[in-house]
Amino acid sequence: MALLLLLVLVAVVLGLIGAVAEGLGYLLITGIVVLVAAMAVTAVSWSQRSRHRPSR
């Protein structure tokens, strides 16, 4: 959970810097990529968590 929070925080910071600073659009792209990576890590984590639960 801490990894997800860290990745989202990094994505927001990079996105803000990339959007505000002129000529640093690559930081905006990097922030979007990090956000997508955070969502992928969350999806994998949730799918593995649901696999390990015993069914009733």
Side-chain angles (χ1 to χ4, degrees):
M1 194 62 154
L3 177 65
L4 172 68
L5 182 60
L6 178 68
L7 286 175
V8 170
L9 184 63
V10 167
V12 168
V13 169
L14 287 175
L16 283 175
I17 293 172
V20 172
E22 190 172 326
L24 295 178
Y26 65 91
L27 286 179
L28 179 61
I29 304 277
T30 305
I32 292 169
V33 169
V34 170
L35 185 62
V36 169
M39 292 190 311
V41 166
T42 304
V44 168
S45 173
W46 283 351
S47 70
Q48 287 179 353
R49 186 179 302 166
S50 65
R51 249 187 249 162
H52 294 293
R53 289 186 182 168
S55 59
R56 292 184 178 197

